[in-house]
Amino acid sequence: MAVACLKFPLGFRPLLRVSILSQFSSSAGAVDYESDVVSLEESGEGSPTATKELSPTEVDVSEKYWSLIKDHHRRNPNLQIIGLATVNQIVTFPSLSSDFSNVYADHPSSPAVFRHVIGKCSALRHGIPFQQALAFFNWAVPKLEPSVSLELYNETIDLCGKTRNFDIAWRLIDSMKAGNVEISLETFSILIRRYIRAGMAAEAVHAFNRMQDYGCEPDRKAFSIVIAMLCRKRRAPEAQSFFYSLKDKFELDVVVYTSLIHGWCRARNIDEAEKVFREMKMAGIEPSVYTYTTVIDALCRCGQITRAHDVFAEMLDLGCQPNAVTFNNLMRIHVKAGRTEKVLQVYNQMKSLSCEPDIITYNFLIHTHCKNKDRPEAIKVLNTMLKKGYQPNASTFNPLFKAMASAHDVNGAQRLFSRMKEVNCKPNTVTYNTLMQMFSVTKSADMVIKLWNEMQDDEVEPNVNTFRIAIMLYCSMGHWNNAYRYFREMIEDKCLRPNRTVFESVMQQLRKAGQMNKHMELMEKMVDRGFISPKLQEEA
């Protein structure tokens, strides 16, 4: 069995909460200006397996389970499971299990429904009801045959990894083995990905080394996945060490070398990237468009624009045809700097080489024109991409909404929002926040509420800014009851920490209204969640 080990550099410290790029997707390296990251988790956390579409009845049933989980978590916000590292992972709450069984009695559920419920728990960014989700899993899994339970296990292992409960994840894998549930490469890929996201590179490699113990033979694909994941997380030294420890065991290809180059580039170590690039060519492996694009991206991010264009020229000389991602990487640095003329020069070169733009190219152009206060030209780009059949995303429309907000063009924003819906483009949190802020300035509480409700219906997760906009609007209008309701939801349901201005504004409104019981209640909840110190509560 091939076993890898890592030698960490002195002073190594884990990096936490970094995003994972999809391996050499059409947009890899083409980072959008809003997120600065192209990830598997564009709108939060990605699901480990493809979602099977549920029927309307199944959606209703999953919502019943989800409501039970949310209500139990709301009533028990500080619930802890003690001793999970030393005891079996079977966790249940009798009353909650009984409620699950009542739903199941009326609506026998498919594996897809169970998996969907765990997926909803994992999709949250804050306040994940992990204990309740684990209890749901332990209630649900006995109802499934081993042959159809793999996806539920994978989803739950992903949730364990997201919440850093890796001991439980391993216990689930042990139970899969004991229950004759197939343990696939995907199962270990999920676990390894979560270890790397948590900054636990050594543990990720250890998971790779243990694959064979569970009947999952590590192959070149698994080897490539580990290297790619480490590199995506800026773990280039560890990826390089892992590569050297096993490179004689697997056939090397352009994907593995490009991943290493990308890892060093993300670490802003161009010298090491060039070293791997030379080693790749000495091994007789020709660089691909992705290899060149990765290097160009890194040079642009380091501000070495001239060198990036030199690499681009070398690419053309060798007959390697650039793609949209290549041009997007050259374009991005100029977009961020507001250099409209340079952006258009890159775009014109793209057209001269008959390279078809992609959605990110068009988004960059729209953003550039909006930043240049040329909304008519930005609208022309939008019309062009729609005419060509491209499906816009929220990042296509958001620069236009921001430009309209700056110009106080409420009517134009409403028309554009209607058009966004007409082309089946789903708004994101930034979209709603921009529109809600615009209407809050004009004290249009009805429109803010309407947008808030639409946001909930579309299952778009509100963030701190969303709550801030709504709460401060109601405080400015003297509506203490609505301010209190949204503030309570913010800290109790979403586990979001309000800033000092929002907190003091709500407390002031409650004092003015003589609502001292509610004032004290919110103080206690803030202390319970660690948002303020007990000392501050006493002073208040």
Side-chain angles (χ1 to χ4, degrees):
M1 175 185 175
V3 177
C5 61
L6 288 183
K7 294 180 180 179
F8 295 106
L10 292 175
F12 169 76
R13 292 290 184 274
L15 296 175
L16 301 181
R17 305 300 300 166
V18 287
S19 298
I20 181 167
L21 300 176
S22 56
Q23 184 170 343
F24 308 123
S25 68
S26 61
S27 299
V31 180
D32 204 347
Y33 65 89
E34 279 196 359
S35 63
D36 206 32
V37 170
V38 176
S39 70
L40 290 175
E41 294 129 356
E42 200 68 47
S43 301
E45 293 293 336
S47 191
T49 50
T51 302
K52 176 184 176 182
E53 188 169 344
L54 301 181
S55 68
T57 301
E58 288 177 321
V59 171
D60 290 341
V61 174
S62 68
E63 286 300 319
K64 292 180 188 295
Y65 289 127
W66 172 234
S67 295
L68 293 172
I69 289 172
K70 283 195 301 182
D71 290 344
H72 191 278
H73 182 253
R74 188 180 297 113
R75 294 194 306 270
N76 303 276
N78 298 317
L79 186 65
Q80 297 293 329
I81 302 176
I82 307 299
L84 280 170
T86 57
V87 300
N88 190 279
Q89 80 278 1
I90 298 299
V91 175
T92 60
F93 303 111
S95 62
L96 187 58
S97 295
S98 176
D99 291 337
F100 291 152
S101 296
N102 289 337
V103 173
Y104 188 80
D106 294 333
H107 308 281
S109 307
S110 67
V113 169
F114 293 152
R115 181 188 172 279
H116 184 71
V117 173
I118 298 294
K120 285 181 74 71
C121 295
S122 185
L124 295 175
R125 295 191 180 198
H126 307 278
I128 294 174
F130 175 72
Q131 292 84 356
Q132 290 80 6
L134 189 60
F136 177 78
F137 168 83
N138 288 324
W139 169 84
V141 78
K143 295 172 172 52
L144 301 178
E145 292 295 325
S147 59
V148 295
S149 61
L150 174 62
E151 288 191 353
L152 180 60
Y153 270 102
N154 283 351
E155 192 77 56
T156 309
I157 289 168
D158 185 64
L159 176 60
C160 290
K162 180 177 180 179
T163 55
R164 312 294 173 85
N165 287 289
F166 290 107
D167 286 341
I168 304 176
W170 277 109
R171 292 178 186 280
L172 291 178
I173 294 175
D174 287 336
S175 69
M176 291 173 75
K177 183 178 180 180
N180 295 319
V181 178
E182 177 190 7
I183 301 174
S184 65
L185 171 60
E186 182 181 15
T187 304
F188 274 95
S189 296
I190 290 166
L191 182 62
I192 290 168
R193 175 171 65 94
R194 286 300 181 184
Y195 268 132
I196 294 172
R197 283 185 63 85
M200 303 167 72
E203 288 81 355
V205 173
H206 177 68
F208 174 87
N209 289 335
R210 292 192 63 188
M211 287 175 64
Q212 200 172 51
D213 297 341
Y214 292 88
C216 186
E217 189 69 31
D219 55 12
R220 187 179 68 175
K221 181 179 179 182
F223 175 66
S224 300
I225 287 172
V226 175
I227 289 176
M229 287 179 178
L230 286 167
C231 290
R232 301 302 190 236
K233 297 295 167 267
R234 296 180 174 87
R235 300 287 183 184
E238 297 93 308
Q240 192 77 56
S241 176
F242 179 73
F243 170 79
Y244 283 137
S245 69
L246 288 175
K247 71 173 187 175
D248 295 332
K249 304 290 183 181
F250 303 103
E251 182 182 351
L252 305 180
D253 58 16
V254 66
V255 174
V256 172
Y257 276 107
T258 301
S259 292
L260 286 171
I261 292 168
H262 185 237
W264 286 115
C265 288
R266 282 178 66 82
R268 303 292 180 94
N269 193 329
I270 304 300
D271 290 341
E272 285 294 333
E274 290 179 339
K275 180 180 175 182
V276 175
F277 190 64
R278 290 193 298 269
E279 183 181 324
M280 174 185 178
K281 290 192 282 189
M282 287 176 61
I285 298 175
E286 287 295 321
S288 69
V289 60
Y290 299 111
T291 314
Y292 281 111
T293 297
T294 295
V295 175
I296 289 169
D297 178 46
L299 291 170
C300 286
R301 289 179 185 277
C302 292
Q304 299 184 40
I305 309 302
T306 301
R307 284 188 69 189
H309 281 281
D310 289 343
V311 173
F312 180 73
E314 175 189 326
M315 180 182 183
L316 295 178
D317 290 342
L318 293 175
C320 185
Q321 184 68 23
N323 60 19
V325 183
T326 315
F327 285 103
N328 291 343
N329 290 339
L330 290 168
M331 192 182 293
R332 183 191 310 104
I333 190 73
H334 301 307
V335 172
K336 289 186 175 182
R339 295 190 285 262
T340 304
E341 185 177 340
K342 292 289 186 181
V343 172
L344 296 178
Q345 280 180 6
V346 174
Y347 179 60
N348 289 332
Q349 186 178 19
M350 185 179 190
K351 290 193 293 184
S352 70
L353 291 173
S354 302
C355 179
E356 189 67 24
D358 64 8
I359 179 67
I360 292 178
T361 313
Y362 285 117
N363 287 357
F364 279 167
L365 292 171
I366 290 171
H367 178 67
T368 298
H369 291 307
C370 286
K371 199 170 183 178
N372 202 35
K373 298 183 179 179
D374 191 352
R375 268 198 288 155
E377 199 62 36
I379 293 293
K380 283 183 183 178
V381 174
L382 174 63
N383 292 336
T384 298
M385 63 180 291
L386 290 173
K387 186 177 180 181
K388 289 187 174 183
Y390 286 91
Q391 178 59 45
N393 56 28
S395 295
T396 309
F397 285 91
N398 287 344
L400 287 162
F401 286 126
K402 289 178 180 178
M404 291 173 178
S406 297
H408 307 290
D409 186 0
V410 175
N411 292 332
Q414 287 179 311
R415 289 193 297 271
L416 186 65
F417 192 55
S418 297
R419 189 178 186 191
M420 187 179 189
K421 293 178 180 178
E422 288 171 4
V423 298
N424 296 317
C425 178
K426 184 176 179 179
N428 64 8
T429 306
V430 174
T431 312
Y432 282 110
N433 287 354
T434 304
L435 293 172
M436 289 171 67
Q437 180 64 40
M438 188 188 306
F439 287 113
S440 72
V441 169
T442 60
K443 299 293 189 293
S444 302
D446 290 345
M447 283 303 301
V448 172
I449 294 171
K450 180 181 177 183
L451 288 167
W452 181 281
N453 291 335
E454 284 188 22
M455 195 173 184
Q456 306 305 306
D457 292 341
D458 289 342
E459 296 187 337
V460 177
E461 188 77 8
N463 63 14
V464 171
N465 286 331
T466 318
F467 281 99
R468 176 186 58 79
I469 293 165
I471 291 169
M472 294 306 291
L473 170 64
Y474 286 121
C475 285
S476 68
M477 298 173 68
H479 294 177
W480 67 265
N481 53 340
N482 286 325
Y484 161 80
R485 179 165 61 87
Y486 280 101
F487 187 87
R488 181 172 173 174
E489 180 182 348
M490 179 183 187
I491 64 173
E492 191 173 50
D493 293 352
K494 304 299 182 183
C495 296
L496 294 172
R497 182 194 294 268
N499 65 31
R500 189 178 186 87
T501 301
V502 171
F503 171 62
E504 290 180 348
S505 297
V506 174
M507 294 299 107
Q508 183 182 38
Q509 289 296 317
L510 293 176
R511 287 194 296 271
K512 280 185 179 180
Q515 297 292 326
M516 298 312 296
N517 287 339
K518 286 183 169 55
H519 184 283
M520 185 176 297
E521 173 201 350
L522 291 185
M523 278 286 188
E524 290 174 353
K525 291 182 182 298
M526 290 285 285
V527 171
D528 287 344
R529 284 156 178 77
F531 294 160
I532 62 172
S533 67
K535 182 179 179 181
L536 183 59
Q537 182 186 20
E538 292 171 4
E539 292 174 354

